[in-house]
């Protein structure tokens, strides 16, 4: 895709909210955004969330972007979103570790994204003693 194609697509989206133009921009740059997010986070689920955020920001701010700089804007926005996500993950992990220390819990902090992982971790934790609770990423508890 040439710079002129990018400009036409961006202008088409900005001028008439063309879903087709936006979809073509997403199709064109999805790999760039996902690859950059994965390099910065090393976490597929987090990187996919970042991709959604970046394209949502593109949809909202399309009118402010220089049409010849779409790729650079997406890359820079992906880096900013990745850093923000990593800071959030770090703070979340620190809070969980502080809670474990405060309650005297000898547990581990894990990024659990699959339901099977919760059951597996609960079984492993219960081998040496009672598993009082597992807290999932959404804040729910098991056990």
């Amino acid at each position: 895709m040439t710079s002129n194609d990018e400009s036409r697509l961006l202008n088409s989206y900005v001028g008439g909210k063309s879903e087709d133009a936006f979809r073509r921009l997403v199709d064109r740059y999805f790999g760039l955004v996902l690859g950059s997010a994965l390099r910065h986070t090393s976490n597929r689920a987090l990187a996919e969330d970042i991709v959604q955020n970046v394209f949502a920001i593109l949809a909202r701010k399309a009118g402010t972007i220089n049409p010849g700089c779409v790729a650079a804007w997406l890359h820079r926005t992906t880096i900013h979103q990745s850093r923000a996500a990593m800071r959030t993950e770090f703070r979340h992990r620190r809070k969980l570790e502080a809670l474990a220390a405060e309650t005297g819990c000898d547990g581990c902090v894990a990024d659990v994204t699959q339901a099977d992982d919760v059951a597996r971790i609960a079984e492993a934790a219960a081998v040496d003693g009672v598993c009082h609770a597992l807290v999932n990423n959404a804040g729910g508890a098991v056990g």
Side-chain angles (χ1 to χ4, degrees):
M1 180 178 295
T2 67
S3 179
N4 287 338
D5 293 335
E6 292 171 4
S7 296
R8 276 196 300 274
L9 288 174
L10 190 62
N11 289 333
S12 179
Y13 176 69
V14 170
K17 294 295 182 195
S18 167
E19 289 182 26
D20 182 58
F22 189 78
R23 181 191 49 76
R24 290 178 63 197
L25 284 168
V26 171
D27 289 347
R28 168 69 175 102
Y29 291 110
F30 183 85
L32 170 92
V33 174
L34 179 61
S36 183
L38 275 170
R39 278 189 298 281
H40 283 88
T41 65
S42 301
N43 179 321
R44 180 79 183 195
L46 187 57
E48 289 172 356
D49 288 344
I50 291 165
V51 169
Q52 287 187 9
N53 290 342
V54 168
F55 284 114
I57 294 168
L58 172 64
R60 194 172 61 247
K61 295 188 173 187
T64 66
I65 300 168
N66 180 338
C69 300
V70 175
W73 184 91
L74 286 168
H75 186 259
R76 187 173 55 252
T77 302
T78 302
I79 290 170
H80 291 305
Q81 290 296 304
S82 296
R83 288 178 179 162
M86 293 302 291
R87 282 191 303 270
T88 299
E89 288 288 312
F90 177 74
R91 284 191 301 268
H92 178 70
R93 184 172 297 271
R94 265 197 351 221
K95 286 179 183 177
L96 289 176
E97 289 168 350
L99 178 61
E102 183 180 307
T103 60
C105 176
D106 290 333
C108 67
V109 177
D111 182 15
V112 179
T113 56
Q114 301 296 320
D116 293 345
D117 292 338
V118 174
R120 182 179 47 76
I121 291 171
E123 286 177 24
V127 167
D128 293 327
V130 177
C131 178
H132 296 287
L134 283 176
V135 179
N136 68 24
N137 287 339
V142 177

